[in-house]
Amino acid sequence: MQVITTQTPEQASLLVAEIIANRLQALPAMSLALPTGNTPLLAYKHLRNLWKSGDLQARKASLVQIDEYIGSEETFRDYLQRELGSISWKEQLFWQETDDPKEIAQRLPQLDLLVLGIGVNGHVAFCEPGCSEDDRFYKTSLSEETIRRNNTTAHHALSMGIGYIKEAKEIILLATGKDKAEALAAAIDGPRTNMLPASLLQDHSRITVVCDLEAGSLLQNGKTQWSDRAVVVIGCRQEDGTYSPSSRGRVWAGSRLAATRGADIVLLSGGYAQDHQSEAFWMSEEFPARIETPLLLEEASDRTARHAAFVSPILRALGIKEVFLVTSWWHLPRFWWMQRWIGKEFRARFVPAWSLPFRGMKGQKRLRKEIGAFFWARADSQEGQKLRRKKSSL
Ligand code: GLP
């Protein structure tokens, strides 16, 4: 579990919107489930802005509803329509309160990305305390606390169950504000129990909690100081799309920097190839577990200009000012361009990973390629600038 604590709720919201935009860019035909409630409203505003500026790839994606009241005039379907209906999705998988949960469970796809909020009693979706861990989609009663807080006339709801939630390939849990601090601390640091449903996600293989200072204030390893510094590790794909030994060297250099320079975040940047996992994912698997700096993946980029352009809005969302850009030392000629693409507001430094010297025939070939890289990177610069211009029009 990765926990990213931001200084303000705005930063947390902007970050979640940028992660969603990044995943949609990486996997345009994805299934994305988004929550209701007050917490994500700001993130949805950012998503609408990204859509307006042409930076959100939603046309091939399915938007999936997480839960719905039964017996209320105000529906979550209307909420999602209101907040995200101006974006053209391929389809919106919404439902009515009269729908059969078993039938819904059957037609739901596996989720590529599921964003969740958390209730003050630790509920996620409408999985209330005491829920079963195996349910996939079900009808449930609402707790008195939820009814009161949500100010609803509904006493029942339809909801994804923990069983289905845990099948999602990636989960992001967004929590902001002081009233979420207790539930969040129990969910992350407490025992795994169905009396606090969010804690049942502790063992999910890919869950990131994004919280602001207040929501994170009771965490055991809560963050109270920020260095506004980030380590960005640029991935390097092999031609067949598999993980490359160069990336391994860069991950090692990045982890050392994170340990010694007190960075707020390590951003691993590298996109998908065919059916493989993203380069960023493989780098995260290799990242030493003992380093406490949270990891975040940028999974849409496949070339130098894109690495730089796509990490930039994520860094800006986090309020980062200084960036250590880790790549192989033979990328030095490209660094000047990378700096420009990342943006002048960041103080970017080149940190070479020394792991792969130009030894043998392969190395010599690479060296020859890299001498031309400066000119190549220059030719690539138009795209980098274009992407950056778009992203900064937020
Ligand atoms: C609601 C929803 C959840 C949501 C949670 C938090 O009842 N069922 O999906 O995440 O409660 O809501 P809020 O963000 O308004 O605190």
Side-chain angles (χ1 to χ4, degrees):
M1 181 182 276
Q2 302 293 331
V3 182
I4 301 173
T5 311
T6 62
Q7 296 172 62
T8 66
E10 288 77 20
Q11 286 174 336
S13 305
L14 185 52
L15 178 64
V16 168
E18 287 296 348
I19 298 173
I20 295 170
N22 185 263
R23 304 306 187 251
L24 283 165
Q25 179 83 38
L27 295 172
M30 75 189 298
S31 310
L32 165 69
L34 296 176
T36 53
N38 291 319
T39 314
L41 289 174
L42 209 51
Y44 295 160
K45 188 172 166 213
H46 291 310
L47 283 182
R48 291 196 298 271
N49 286 342
L50 287 172
W51 172 254
K52 271 193 227 146
S53 61
D55 289 321
L56 197 72
Q57 286 236 28
R59 285 186 196 283
K60 293 185 186 158
S62 306
L63 175 65
V64 183
Q65 181 174 358
I66 290 176
D67 47 12
E68 183 59 279
Y69 287 133
I70 297 176
S72 155
E73 287 209 343
E74 190 199 331
T75 67
F76 285 169
R77 190 190 172 102
D78 291 344
Y79 170 106
L80 290 170
Q81 198 68 53
R82 192 173 59 238
E83 291 302 314
L84 300 162
S86 60
I87 299 169
S88 304
W89 306 92
K90 185 186 108 196
E91 55 182 352
Q92 299 184 345
L93 299 175
F94 295 169
W95 38 81
Q96 320 265 356
E97 58 176 78
T98 47
D99 285 347
D100 174 8
K102 278 207 184 98
E103 196 268 321
I104 298 174
Q106 266 169 12
R107 72 181 146 100
L108 281 186
Q110 186 187 12
L111 297 172
D112 293 294
L113 177 60
L114 166 60
V115 181
L116 291 170
I118 182 170
V120 288
N121 61 359
H123 77 226
V124 286
F126 272 136
C127 304
E128 292 277 38
C131 64
S132 144
E133 244 189 88
D134 305 319
D135 276 327
R136 295 189 81 244
F137 209 91
Y138 68 125
K139 264 186 193 162
T140 179
S141 340
L142 298 178
S143 69
E144 286 306 317
E145 189 162 22
T146 302
I147 295 171
R148 189 166 26 83
R149 263 195 70 96
N150 290 18
N151 196 17
T152 176
T153 51
H155 283 73
H156 295 89
L158 275 173
S159 178
M160 286 178 182
I162 295 291
Y164 177 70
I165 286 175
K166 288 186 74 174
E167 288 169 20
K169 292 186 194 151
E170 180 178 11
I171 298 177
I172 293 170
L173 193 146
L174 171 64
T176 55
K178 220 181 181 88
D179 55 348
K180 299 293 170 71
E182 231 170 274
L184 193 68
I188 295 175
D189 300 323
R192 216 180 150 279
T193 161
N194 69 343
M195 293 317 288
L196 200 116
S199 70
L200 299 174
L201 307 179
Q202 282 171 5
D203 54 353
H204 188 274
S205 59
R206 207 175 150 187
I207 176 165
T208 304
V209 174
V210 178
C211 62
D212 68 340
L213 174 62
E214 288 193 334
S217 59
L218 299 179
L219 294 177
Q220 247 165 44
N221 296 319
K223 195 166 168 71
T224 48
Q225 283 184 327
W226 282 261
S227 62
D228 296 337
R229 211 172 282 147
V231 172
V232 176
V233 184
I234 305 284
C236 170
R237 288 201 290 192
Q238 313 219 94
E239 255 134 56
D240 65 356
T242 54
Y243 190 70
S244 86
S246 304
S247 294
R248 188 162 290 142
R250 298 175 195 187
V251 164
W252 183 78
S255 67
R256 281 200 55 195
L257 264 177
T260 54
R261 301 300 184 104
D264 292 337
I265 192 121
V266 175
L267 199 48
L268 304 172
S269 168
Y272 283 83
Q274 288 125 29
D275 292 338
H276 292 96
Q277 288 279 11
S278 71
E279 181 82 28
F281 174 81
W282 290 123
M283 290 198 286
S284 71
E285 292 281 287
E286 294 265 321
F287 205 85
R290 67 191 148 76
I291 310 283
E292 279 169 12
T293 316
L295 298 182
L296 183 60
L297 313 192
E298 181 291 299
E299 298 188 283
S301 56
D302 54 1
R303 51 206 272 211
T304 317
R306 286 172 172 253
H307 283 296
F310 290 154
V311 296
S312 165
I314 297 176
L315 296 171
R316 199 176 311 127
L318 283 163
I320 295 296
K321 306 221 162 36
E322 194 179 359
V323 180
F324 294 102
L325 201 59
V326 184
T327 181
S328 298
W329 63 272
W330 33 274
H331 273 170
L332 187 58
R334 301 185 202 181
F335 177 61
W336 191 72
W337 293 108
M338 280 195 217
Q339 244 175 342
R340 292 184 52 160
W341 296 323
I342 281 191
K344 290 198 184 94
E345 72 259 47
F346 306 111
R347 197 149 70 89
R349 296 191 205 174
F350 179 69
V351 182
W354 295 101
S355 61
L356 269 191
F358 292 118
R359 266 188 310 217
M361 284 300 286
K362 254 189 167 172
Q364 293 301 318
K365 225 169 123 190
R366 186 177 299 118
L367 179 61
R368 274 202 299 280
K369 243 168 106 180
E370 280 306 312
I371 290 173
F374 176 77
F375 303 101
W376 171 80
R378 221 183 130 177
D380 206 24
S381 74
Q382 265 187 349
E383 193 201 24
Q385 291 297 5
K386 206 170 78 198
L387 286 167
R388 251 200 53 76
R389 247 200 316 280
K390 274 177 138 194
K391 291 276 180 194
S392 50
S393 65
L394 242 184

